Amino acid sequence: MTLGKRIRQLRKERNMTLVDLAGGKITKGMLSLIENDKSQPSMTTLSHIAKKLDVSIGYLTREGDEEWTRQMLAEADFSHYFSFPFEHIEKNILPHLDRVSQGSKGMDLYNIIRIYYRYKGEHATADEYTEKIGNFYRRIGIEHLVVKNRLNDAISLMYSQDYTEAYNRLVDSEAEVMEFKAYDPHLELEYVYLKAIFSVPVDMEECIPLANRVIELSYDMENFKYFFSANMILGYYYGLEGDMENHGKYEERLKQYLQFNSQEKYELELIDADHPITVFHVLVEDTKQRADLYEAYVRKIEAHHEADNIQSSNMAFYHPLFLLEMAYFKKDYRTVVENYKEGMYIRSAAQHPIDRIIMATRSCIYPLSLHHLGERRQAREAFERIEETIEDIKHSVFTKEFSMIRDIIFEGNRGMVPKEK
Protein backbone atom coordinates (compact mmCIF):
# COMPACT_ATOMS: atom_id res chain seq x y z
CA MET A 1 0.00 0.00 0.00
CA THR A 2 1.38 3.39 -0.99
CA LEU A 3 1.77 6.31 1.41
CA GLY A 4 -1.15 8.19 -0.14
CA LYS A 5 -3.50 5.21 -0.02
CA ARG A 6 -2.57 4.54 3.59
CA ILE A 7 -3.33 8.14 4.57
CA ARG A 8 -6.69 8.00 2.76
CA GLN A 9 -7.59 4.67 4.37
CA LEU A 10 -6.77 5.92 7.86
CA ARG A 11 -8.64 9.17 7.30
CA LYS A 12 -11.79 7.33 6.22
CA GLU A 13 -11.50 4.84 9.09
CA ARG A 14 -11.57 7.85 11.43
CA ASN A 15 -14.54 9.44 9.57
CA MET A 16 -12.47 12.52 8.78
CA THR A 17 -12.93 14.76 5.74
CA LEU A 18 -10.06 16.20 3.74
CA VAL A 19 -10.68 19.51 5.50
CA ASP A 20 -10.59 17.82 8.91
CA LEU A 21 -7.23 16.23 8.21
CA ALA A 22 -5.73 19.24 6.45
CA GLY A 23 -6.55 21.45 9.43
CA GLY A 24 -4.91 24.82 9.22
CA LYS A 25 -1.49 23.47 8.24
CA ILE A 26 -1.99 22.39 4.63
CA THR A 27 -4.57 22.97 1.93
CA LYS A 28 -7.31 20.54 0.99
CA GLY A 29 -5.91 20.44 -2.56
CA MET A 30 -2.41 19.54 -1.40
CA LEU A 31 -3.77 16.77 0.79
CA SER A 32 -5.74 15.42 -2.17
CA LEU A 33 -2.56 15.32 -4.27
CA ILE A 34 -0.76 13.45 -1.46
CA GLU A 35 -3.56 10.91 -1.10
CA ASN A 36 -3.49 10.29 -4.86
CA ASP A 37 0.31 9.82 -4.77
CA LYS A 38 0.81 12.84 -7.03
CA SER A 39 2.86 14.72 -4.45
CA GLN A 40 5.28 13.68 -1.70
CA PRO A 41 4.77 15.46 1.64
CA SER A 42 7.62 17.20 3.41
CA MET A 43 8.65 15.89 6.82
CA THR A 44 6.79 18.78 8.48
CA THR A 45 3.61 17.93 6.54
CA LEU A 46 4.03 14.24 7.25
CA SER A 47 4.45 14.98 10.96
CA HIS A 48 1.21 17.00 10.95
CA ILE A 49 -0.74 14.25 9.15
CA ALA A 50 0.59 11.55 11.47
CA LYS A 51 -0.34 13.60 14.54
CA LYS A 52 -3.87 14.22 13.26
CA LEU A 53 -4.34 10.51 12.47
CA ASP A 54 -2.81 9.52 15.83
CA VAL A 55 -0.15 7.25 14.30
CA SER A 56 3.62 7.39 14.01
CA ILE A 57 5.45 8.69 10.96
CA GLY A 58 7.05 5.23 10.71
CA TYR A 59 3.62 3.66 10.41
CA LEU A 60 2.60 6.01 7.61
CA THR A 61 5.79 5.51 5.59
CA ARG A 62 5.85 1.74 5.91
CA GLU A 63 5.70 0.19 2.47
CA GLY A 64 3.69 -2.82 1.40
CA ASP A 65 0.42 -4.32 2.49
CA GLU A 66 0.34 -5.45 6.11
CA GLU A 67 -2.97 -7.31 5.84
CA TRP A 68 -1.90 -9.18 2.70
CA THR A 69 1.41 -10.10 4.32
CA ARG A 70 -0.35 -11.52 7.37
CA GLN A 71 -2.68 -13.45 5.10
CA MET A 72 0.22 -14.97 3.15
CA LEU A 73 1.84 -16.08 6.40
CA ALA A 74 -1.40 -17.58 7.70
CA GLU A 75 -2.36 -19.52 4.57
CA ALA A 76 0.44 -22.12 4.81
CA ASP A 77 2.46 -23.94 7.44
CA PHE A 78 6.02 -22.89 6.68
CA SER A 79 7.52 -24.62 9.70
CA HIS A 80 6.20 -28.07 8.89
CA TYR A 81 8.67 -30.93 9.26
CA PHE A 82 7.59 -32.90 6.24
CA SER A 83 6.48 -30.50 3.57
CA PHE A 84 7.24 -27.03 2.32
CA PRO A 85 4.58 -24.96 0.48
CA PHE A 86 6.46 -24.33 -2.74
CA GLU A 87 3.26 -23.88 -4.75
CA HIS A 88 1.85 -21.28 -2.34
CA ILE A 89 5.07 -19.28 -2.53
CA GLU A 90 5.39 -19.51 -6.30
CA LYS A 91 1.73 -18.81 -7.05
CA ASN A 92 0.70 -16.33 -4.38
CA ILE A 93 3.82 -14.62 -3.02
CA LEU A 94 6.63 -14.29 -5.55
CA PRO A 95 4.45 -12.54 -8.19
CA HIS A 96 3.43 -9.90 -5.63
CA LEU A 97 6.64 -9.05 -3.78
CA ASP A 98 5.78 -5.34 -3.91
CA ARG A 99 2.99 -6.09 -1.42
CA VAL A 100 5.29 -7.43 1.31
CA SER A 101 4.97 -5.03 4.23
CA GLN A 102 8.12 -3.41 5.50
CA GLY A 103 7.53 -4.40 9.11
CA SER A 104 8.25 -7.37 11.33
CA LYS A 105 5.69 -9.57 9.54
CA GLY A 106 7.22 -8.65 6.22
CA MET A 107 10.63 -9.71 7.52
CA ASP A 108 9.09 -13.04 8.57
CA LEU A 109 7.86 -13.48 5.01
CA TYR A 110 11.27 -12.52 3.61
CA ASN A 111 12.78 -15.24 5.78
CA ILE A 112 10.39 -17.77 4.22
CA ILE A 113 11.40 -16.59 0.76
CA ARG A 114 15.06 -16.93 1.78
CA ILE A 115 14.43 -20.55 2.79
CA TYR A 116 12.63 -21.15 -0.52
CA TYR A 117 15.72 -20.05 -2.45
CA ARG A 118 17.99 -22.17 -0.20
CA TYR A 119 15.87 -25.19 -1.12
CA LYS A 120 16.30 -24.26 -4.78
CA GLY A 121 20.05 -23.84 -4.40
CA GLU A 122 19.78 -20.21 -5.55
CA HIS A 123 22.05 -18.87 -2.84
CA ALA A 124 22.80 -15.49 -4.36
CA THR A 125 19.09 -14.65 -4.31
CA ALA A 126 18.73 -16.03 -0.77
CA ASP A 127 21.62 -13.81 0.32
CA GLU A 128 19.82 -10.80 -1.13
CA TYR A 129 16.95 -11.46 1.27
CA THR A 130 19.38 -11.79 4.15
CA GLU A 131 20.61 -8.33 3.22
CA LYS A 132 17.06 -6.96 2.92
CA ILE A 133 16.14 -8.18 6.40
CA GLY A 134 19.38 -6.92 7.92
CA ASN A 135 18.98 -3.50 6.31
CA PHE A 136 15.44 -3.17 7.64
CA TYR A 137 16.45 -3.78 11.26
CA ARG A 138 19.57 -1.67 10.85
CA ARG A 139 17.50 1.22 9.46
CA ILE A 140 15.17 1.26 12.46
CA GLY A 141 18.08 0.90 14.87
CA ILE A 142 17.44 -2.57 16.31
CA GLU A 143 20.95 -3.93 15.97
CA HIS A 144 20.47 -7.11 18.01
CA LEU A 145 17.84 -8.21 15.47
CA VAL A 146 20.41 -7.63 12.73
CA VAL A 147 22.55 -10.21 14.55
CA LYS A 148 19.57 -12.55 15.03
CA ASN A 149 19.03 -12.32 11.28
CA ARG A 150 22.57 -13.59 10.71
CA LEU A 151 21.82 -16.61 12.89
CA ASN A 152 18.61 -17.23 10.95
CA ASP A 153 20.63 -16.98 7.75
CA ALA A 154 22.86 -19.82 8.98
CA ILE A 155 19.76 -21.86 9.85
CA SER A 156 18.43 -21.31 6.33
CA LEU A 157 21.52 -23.04 4.95
CA MET A 158 20.42 -26.23 6.67
CA TYR A 159 17.64 -26.45 4.08
CA SER A 160 20.27 -26.91 1.38
CA GLN A 161 22.47 -29.04 3.68
CA ASP A 162 25.36 -26.57 3.44
CA TYR A 163 26.53 -27.24 6.99
CA THR A 164 30.10 -26.03 6.52
CA GLU A 165 29.00 -22.70 5.06
CA ALA A 166 26.47 -22.33 7.89
CA TYR A 167 29.23 -23.01 10.42
CA ASN A 168 31.55 -20.46 8.81
CA ARG A 169 28.85 -17.78 8.78
CA LEU A 170 28.13 -18.42 12.44
CA VAL A 171 31.78 -18.04 13.35
CA ASP A 172 31.88 -14.75 11.44
CA SER A 173 29.00 -13.45 13.56
CA GLU A 174 30.46 -14.43 16.95
CA ALA A 175 31.87 -11.02 17.87
CA GLU A 176 28.52 -9.35 17.17
CA VAL A 177 26.64 -11.99 19.19
CA MET A 178 28.86 -11.32 22.19
CA GLU A 179 28.48 -7.56 21.74
CA PHE A 180 24.69 -7.58 21.58
CA LYS A 181 23.87 -10.42 24.00
CA ALA A 182 23.36 -7.71 26.63
CA TYR A 183 20.28 -6.62 24.67
CA ASP A 184 19.11 -10.18 24.07
CA PRO A 185 20.81 -12.75 26.37
CA HIS A 186 19.27 -15.63 24.45
CA LEU A 187 21.35 -14.73 21.40
CA GLU A 188 24.33 -16.44 23.00
CA LEU A 189 22.38 -19.61 23.79
CA GLU A 190 21.08 -19.86 20.24
CA TYR A 191 24.50 -19.10 18.77
CA VAL A 192 26.28 -21.76 20.84
CA TYR A 193 23.63 -24.38 20.04
CA LEU A 194 23.75 -23.69 16.31
CA LYS A 195 27.54 -23.75 16.32
CA ALA A 196 27.41 -27.09 18.14
CA ILE A 197 25.12 -28.78 15.63
CA PHE A 198 26.93 -27.36 12.59
CA SER A 199 30.28 -28.44 14.00
CA VAL A 200 29.17 -32.12 13.92
CA PRO A 201 30.34 -32.68 10.33
CA VAL A 202 33.15 -30.10 10.66
CA ASP A 203 34.87 -30.80 13.98
CA MET A 204 33.30 -33.19 16.49
CA GLU A 205 35.91 -32.33 19.10
CA GLU A 206 34.54 -28.79 19.09
CA CYS A 207 30.93 -29.99 19.27
CA ILE A 208 31.35 -31.67 22.67
CA PRO A 209 32.32 -28.57 24.72
CA LEU A 210 29.79 -26.48 22.78
CA ALA A 211 26.93 -28.87 23.56
CA ASN A 212 27.98 -28.89 27.22
CA ARG A 213 28.00 -25.09 27.16
CA VAL A 214 24.41 -25.17 25.84
CA ILE A 215 23.43 -27.22 28.91
CA GLU A 216 25.19 -24.75 31.24
CA LEU A 217 23.52 -21.74 29.61
CA SER A 218 20.15 -23.50 29.77
CA TYR A 219 20.43 -23.64 33.55
CA ASP A 220 21.87 -20.12 33.86
CA MET A 221 19.14 -18.54 31.73
CA GLU A 222 16.35 -20.91 32.77
CA ASN A 223 15.75 -21.42 29.07
CA PHE A 224 15.58 -25.12 28.19
CA LYS A 225 14.73 -24.77 24.49
CA TYR A 226 17.85 -26.71 23.44
CA PHE A 227 18.44 -28.71 26.62
CA PHE A 228 16.85 -31.93 25.36
CA SER A 229 18.70 -31.85 22.04
CA ALA A 230 22.12 -31.08 23.58
CA ASN A 231 21.84 -33.99 26.03
CA MET A 232 20.66 -36.30 23.25
CA ILE A 233 23.65 -35.43 21.07
CA LEU A 234 26.16 -35.98 23.86
CA GLY A 235 24.57 -39.18 25.15
CA TYR A 236 24.35 -40.61 21.63
CA TYR A 237 27.97 -39.70 20.93
CA TYR A 238 29.31 -41.36 24.08
CA GLY A 239 27.14 -44.43 23.48
CA LEU A 240 28.64 -44.87 20.02
CA GLU A 241 32.11 -44.36 21.47
CA GLY A 242 31.45 -47.14 23.99
CA ASP A 243 31.78 -44.76 26.96
CA MET A 244 28.68 -46.03 28.73
CA GLU A 245 29.45 -44.10 31.92
CA ASN A 246 29.09 -40.76 30.15
CA HIS A 247 26.23 -42.11 28.05
CA GLY A 248 24.42 -43.02 31.28
CA LYS A 249 25.09 -39.58 32.77
CA TYR A 250 23.33 -37.74 29.95
CA GLU A 251 20.56 -40.32 29.77
CA GLU A 252 19.88 -39.98 33.50
CA ARG A 253 19.78 -36.19 33.18
CA LEU A 254 17.21 -36.50 30.41
CA LYS A 255 15.05 -38.88 32.43
CA GLN A 256 15.03 -36.40 35.31
CA TYR A 257 14.18 -33.59 32.92
CA LEU A 258 11.30 -35.57 31.42
CA GLN A 259 9.82 -36.21 34.87
CA PHE A 260 8.87 -32.55 35.25
CA ASN A 261 8.62 -31.59 31.57
CA SER A 262 5.79 -33.69 30.22
CA GLN A 263 5.36 -31.94 26.87
CA GLU A 264 3.41 -33.89 24.31
CA LYS A 265 6.28 -33.79 21.81
CA TYR A 266 8.49 -35.80 24.16
CA GLU A 267 5.74 -38.28 24.94
CA LEU A 268 5.25 -38.95 21.24
CA GLU A 269 8.94 -38.99 20.30
CA LEU A 270 10.27 -41.44 22.89
CA ILE A 271 9.87 -45.08 21.99
CA ASP A 272 11.50 -46.25 25.23
CA ALA A 273 11.15 -43.88 28.18
CA ASP A 274 13.55 -46.04 30.23
CA HIS A 275 16.24 -45.47 27.61
CA PRO A 276 15.55 -42.09 25.98
CA ILE A 277 18.93 -42.02 24.21
CA THR A 278 19.00 -44.82 21.66
CA VAL A 279 22.48 -45.90 20.56
CA PHE A 280 21.71 -48.58 17.98
CA HIS A 281 18.54 -48.15 15.96
CA VAL A 282 18.68 -51.34 13.88
CA LEU A 283 21.48 -53.64 15.05
CA VAL A 284 20.04 -54.73 18.38
CA GLU A 285 20.60 -58.10 19.99
CA ASP A 286 17.16 -58.46 21.55
CA THR A 287 14.93 -57.92 18.52
CA LYS A 288 11.84 -59.28 20.29
CA GLN A 289 12.16 -56.66 23.02
CA ARG A 290 12.52 -53.92 20.39
CA ALA A 291 9.50 -55.27 18.48
CA ASP A 292 7.45 -55.18 21.68
CA LEU A 293 8.53 -51.60 22.34
CA TYR A 294 7.53 -50.56 18.83
CA GLU A 295 4.19 -52.31 19.12
CA ALA A 296 3.39 -50.54 22.38
CA TYR A 297 4.60 -47.23 20.96
CA VAL A 298 2.48 -47.50 17.81
CA ARG A 299 -0.60 -48.26 19.93
CA LYS A 300 0.15 -45.24 22.11
CA ILE A 301 0.45 -42.73 19.29
CA GLU A 302 -2.55 -44.17 17.44
CA ALA A 303 -4.69 -43.87 20.59
CA HIS A 304 -3.44 -40.35 21.19
CA HIS A 305 -4.28 -39.13 17.71
CA GLU A 306 -7.62 -40.90 17.66
CA ALA A 307 -8.65 -39.46 21.04
CA ASP A 308 -7.71 -35.93 20.05
CA ASN A 309 -9.04 -36.35 16.52
CA ILE A 310 -5.82 -34.89 15.16
CA GLN A 311 -5.11 -35.15 11.46
CA SER A 312 -1.35 -35.00 11.78
CA SER A 313 0.94 -35.25 8.79
CA ASN A 314 3.70 -36.09 11.28
CA MET A 315 1.69 -39.20 12.03
CA ALA A 316 1.14 -39.81 8.32
CA PHE A 317 4.87 -39.68 7.74
CA TYR A 318 6.07 -41.71 10.72
CA HIS A 319 3.36 -44.34 11.08
CA PRO A 320 4.43 -46.43 8.05
CA LEU A 321 8.03 -46.27 9.27
CA PHE A 322 7.13 -47.58 12.71
CA LEU A 323 5.12 -50.43 11.22
CA LEU A 324 7.94 -51.31 8.85
CA GLU A 325 10.55 -51.33 11.62
CA MET A 326 8.28 -53.36 13.85
CA ALA A 327 8.02 -55.96 11.07
CA TYR A 328 11.81 -55.98 10.76
CA PHE A 329 12.32 -56.60 14.46
CA LYS A 330 9.76 -59.41 14.23
CA LYS A 331 11.97 -60.81 11.45
CA ASP A 332 9.16 -60.47 8.93
CA TYR A 333 11.58 -59.45 6.20
CA ARG A 334 9.20 -60.10 3.32
CA THR A 335 6.74 -57.52 4.71
CA VAL A 336 9.55 -54.98 4.91
CA VAL A 337 10.60 -55.58 1.31
CA GLU A 338 7.05 -55.43 -0.01
CA ASN A 339 6.11 -52.22 1.81
CA TYR A 340 9.32 -50.20 1.67
CA LYS A 341 9.31 -47.26 -0.76
CA GLU A 342 12.31 -45.29 -1.98
CA GLY A 343 12.60 -41.97 -0.19
CA MET A 344 10.10 -42.74 2.55
CA TYR A 345 12.71 -41.99 5.22
CA ILE A 346 13.73 -38.68 3.67
CA ARG A 347 12.11 -35.58 5.14
CA SER A 348 11.79 -32.59 2.87
CA ALA A 349 12.32 -30.05 5.64
CA ALA A 350 15.66 -28.95 7.02
CA GLN A 351 17.42 -31.56 9.06
CA HIS A 352 20.24 -31.55 11.54
CA PRO A 353 23.05 -33.76 10.15
CA ILE A 354 22.59 -36.29 12.96
CA ASP A 355 18.88 -36.60 12.13
CA ARG A 356 19.75 -37.30 8.51
CA ILE A 357 22.18 -40.04 9.57
CA ILE A 358 19.66 -41.63 11.93
CA MET A 359 16.96 -41.68 9.26
CA ALA A 360 19.38 -43.20 6.74
CA THR A 361 20.38 -45.82 9.31
CA ARG A 362 16.79 -46.71 10.08
CA SER A 363 16.03 -47.07 6.37
CA CYS A 364 18.70 -49.78 6.21
CA ILE A 365 16.10 -52.28 7.39
CA TYR A 366 15.27 -52.56 3.68
CA PRO A 367 18.68 -53.68 2.36
CA LEU A 368 19.15 -55.78 5.49
CA SER A 369 15.83 -57.52 4.84
CA LEU A 370 16.91 -58.22 1.25
CA HIS A 371 20.19 -59.55 2.62
CA HIS A 372 18.40 -61.87 5.06
CA LEU A 373 16.20 -63.10 2.23
CA GLY A 374 19.31 -64.03 0.23
CA GLU A 375 18.88 -61.25 -2.35
CA ARG A 376 22.46 -60.03 -1.93
CA ARG A 377 22.89 -58.00 -5.14
CA GLN A 378 19.64 -56.11 -4.59
CA ALA A 379 20.64 -55.52 -0.96
CA ARG A 380 23.94 -53.91 -1.96
CA GLU A 381 22.32 -51.75 -4.62
CA ALA A 382 19.66 -50.59 -2.15
CA PHE A 383 22.29 -49.77 0.47
CA GLU A 384 24.33 -47.72 -1.98
CA ARG A 385 21.24 -45.66 -2.91
CA ILE A 386 20.72 -44.88 0.77
CA GLU A 387 24.41 -44.09 1.21
CA GLU A 388 24.18 -41.45 -1.52
CA THR A 389 21.69 -39.49 0.61
CA ILE A 390 24.33 -38.89 3.31
CA GLU A 391 27.42 -38.76 1.07
CA ASP A 392 28.45 -35.37 2.50
CA ILE A 393 28.39 -36.57 6.13
CA LYS A 394 29.06 -40.31 5.88
CA HIS A 395 32.42 -40.01 7.68
CA SER A 396 30.86 -38.60 10.84
CA VAL A 397 31.26 -40.53 14.09
CA PHE A 398 27.47 -40.85 14.09
CA THR A 399 27.60 -43.15 11.05
CA LYS A 400 29.11 -45.94 13.14
CA GLU A 401 26.00 -48.13 13.02
CA PHE A 402 25.49 -47.27 9.34
CA SER A 403 29.02 -48.47 8.59
CA MET A 404 28.44 -51.66 10.58
CA ILE A 405 25.38 -52.36 8.45
CA ARG A 406 27.48 -51.80 5.35
CA ASP A 407 29.95 -54.44 6.61
CA ILE A 408 27.12 -56.91 7.08
CA ILE A 409 25.72 -56.36 3.61
CA PHE A 410 29.03 -56.27 1.74
CA GLU A 411 31.15 -58.61 3.88
CA GLY A 412 28.54 -61.15 4.90
CA ASN A 413 29.20 -60.45 8.58
CA ARG A 414 26.00 -61.38 10.39
CA GLY A 415 27.28 -60.44 13.85
CA MET A 416 25.15 -58.25 16.07
CA VAL A 417 26.27 -55.56 18.50
CA PRO A 418 26.05 -56.20 22.24
CA LYS A 419 22.66 -55.65 23.82
CA GLU A 420 22.16 -52.09 25.05
CA LYS A 421 22.24 -51.62 28.80
Side-chain angles (χ1 to χ4, degrees):
M1 183 179 294
T2 64
L3 172 62
K5 288 179 180 177
R6 181 172 286 111
I7 291 172
R8 182 190 294 120
Q9 177 180 303
L10 290 170
R11 176 174 64 78
K12 290 185 175 181
E13 285 176 357
R14 287 156 175 72
N15 295 317
M16 297 173 71
T17 65
L18 284 169
V19 173
D20 292 334
L21 182 54
K25 298 288 184 179
I26 55 176
T27 66
K28 174 183 172 182
M30 175 58 69
L31 182 56
S32 178
L33 289 172
I34 292 171
E35 287 193 355
N36 286 290
D37 294 310
K38 293 181 178 178
S39 178
Q40 290 296 315
S42 67
M43 186 55 66
T44 301
T45 299
L46 196 60
S47 177
H48 164 73
I49 292 172
K51 186 175 181 180
K52 292 282 285 184
L53 293 172
D54 194 24
V55 297
S56 67
I57 292 176
Y59 183 86
L60 284 181
T61 56
R62 184 170 55 197
E63 300 172 8
D65 187 329
E66 181 78 9
E67 184 58 36
W68 177 86
T69 300
R70 289 178 181 274
Q71 182 181 346
M72 291 301 102
L73 287 168
E75 284 185 358
D77 185 355
F78 299 100
S79 62
H80 205 281
Y81 248 12
F82 308 105
S83 63
F84 189 76
F86 289 100
E87 184 178 355
H88 173 62
I89 293 172
E90 292 167 353
K91 180 180 178 181
N92 301 320
I93 298 174
L94 295 184
H96 307 289
L97 290 175
D98 60 317
R99 299 187 69 179
V100 179
S101 70
Q102 299 305 291
S104 60
K105 290 300 179 183
M107 298 310 104
D108 289 344
L109 195 54
Y110 277 164
N111 183 49
I112 298 303
I113 297 170
R114 169 169 57 189
I115 290 171
Y116 168 84
Y117 283 113
R118 294 292 184 211
Y119 265 126
K120 295 287 186 178
E122 298 179 27
H123 296 297
T125 305
D127 290 342
E128 289 176 9
Y129 281 92
T130 297
E131 191 68 18
K132 283 177 184 284
I133 298 169
N135 286 340
F136 169 78
Y137 287 119
R138 195 175 289 111
R139 188 168 63 249
I140 62 177
I142 310 181
E143 290 293 332
H144 72 280
L145 292 184
V146 176
V147 182
K148 180 67 181 291
N149 174 53
R150 295 189 66 181
L151 300 187
N152 287 337
D153 177 54
I155 293 171
S156 75
L157 284 157
M158 194 154 60
Y159 289 80
S160 54
Q161 300 174 0
D162 289 314
Y163 304 122
T164 301
E165 178 63 20
Y167 175 84
N168 291 336
R169 292 193 186 191
L170 281 170
V171 172
D172 289 344
S173 69
E174 182 167 349
E176 290 172 287
V177 169
M178 296 306 144
E179 179 183 355
F180 288 100
K181 68 179 185 179
Y183 299 93
D184 183 356
H186 302 297
L187 271 177
E188 183 182 8
L189 175 61
E190 184 155 356
Y191 169 77
V192 175
Y193 175 72
L194 291 173
K195 191 176 178 184
I197 64 171
F198 288 129
S199 69
V200 168
V202 178
D203 184 356
M204 190 60 205
E205 289 186 4
E206 185 177 20
C207 175
I208 297 168
L210 286 169
N212 276 308
R213 178 61 178 154
V214 170
I215 294 169
E216 292 173 7
L217 287 170
S218 298
Y219 285 121
D220 292 346
M221 298 179 180
E222 297 183 354
N223 182 339
F224 292 89
K225 180 179 181 179
Y226 303 118
F227 183 83
F228 186 87
S229 180
N231 278 281
M232 287 285 284
I233 290 171
L234 290 167
Y236 186 30
Y237 168 76
Y238 284 115
L240 290 172
E241 289 288 289
D243 184 345
M244 302 314 290
E245 181 178 350
N246 267 314
H247 168 77
K249 179 181 77 173
Y250 291 103
E251 187 167 68
E252 186 59 33
R253 180 182 286 156
L254 272 189
K255 285 194 282 189
Q256 292 174 359
Y257 173 69
L258 292 168
Q259 286 178 359
F260 69 85
N261 190 336
S262 57
Q263 290 184 42
E264 179 183 292
K265 67 176 182 178
Y266 298 131
E267 179 186 349
L268 297 181
E269 283 179 6
L270 294 175
I271 292 173
D272 185 358
D274 292 331
H275 298 285
I277 304 178
T278 302
V279 177
F280 291 100
H281 295 82
V282 177
L283 299 180
V284 296
E285 183 181 75
D286 194 340
T287 55
K288 182 181 183 306
Q289 181 193 43
R290 185 59 65 91
D292 290 344
L293 281 169
Y294 265 71
E295 193 164 16
Y297 178 72
V298 169
R299 285 200 304 267
K300 179 175 74 173
I301 62 171
E302 286 176 345
H304 175 87
H305 285 273
E306 184 178 346
D308 288 351
N309 194 28
I310 297 174
Q311 298 299 317
S312 169
S313 51
N314 290 22
M315 177 73 164
F317 178 88
Y318 275 120
H319 192 252
L321 310 189
F322 296 141
L323 294 177
L324 212 61
E325 289 164 36
M326 185 167 63
Y328 177 80
F329 292 126
K330 289 182 175 180
K331 302 184 179 180
D332 186 358
Y333 304 127
R334 183 54 61 189
T335 293
V336 175
V337 170
E338 290 175 354
N339 290 279
Y340 178 85
K341 296 179 179 62
E342 294 287 340
M344 67 187 297
Y345 278 84
I346 297 175
R347 297 194 321 220
S348 61
Q351 290 187 78
H352 180 288
I354 298 176
D355 286 337
R356 283 177 60 207
I357 292 169
I358 290 173
M359 294 301 275
T361 301
R362 288 171 58 183
S363 69
C364 284
I365 61 169
Y366 175 60
L368 279 170
S369 292
L370 288 168
H371 177 83
H372 289 308
L373 291 170
E375 300 175 22
R376 304 298 173 81
R377 179 180 60 81
Q378 295 94 323
R380 293 176 181 183
E381 291 173 353
F383 182 88
E384 287 175 337
R385 288 195 296 273
I386 295 169
E387 192 171 34
E388 289 175 0
T389 69
I390 57 168
E391 183 65 32
D392 58 316
I393 47 178
K394 71 178 184 180
H395 298 298
S396 165
V397 65
F398 293 100
T399 60
K400 179 177 180 178
E401 184 183 8
F402 189 81
S403 298
M404 293 169 71
I405 293 171
R406 191 183 211 286
D407 289 342
I408 293 172
I409 292 173
F410 284 85
E411 305 295 333
N413 176 8
R414 294 176 178 273
M416 291 295 183
V417 299
K419 183 178 177 180
E420 294 176 38
K421 297 180 180 179

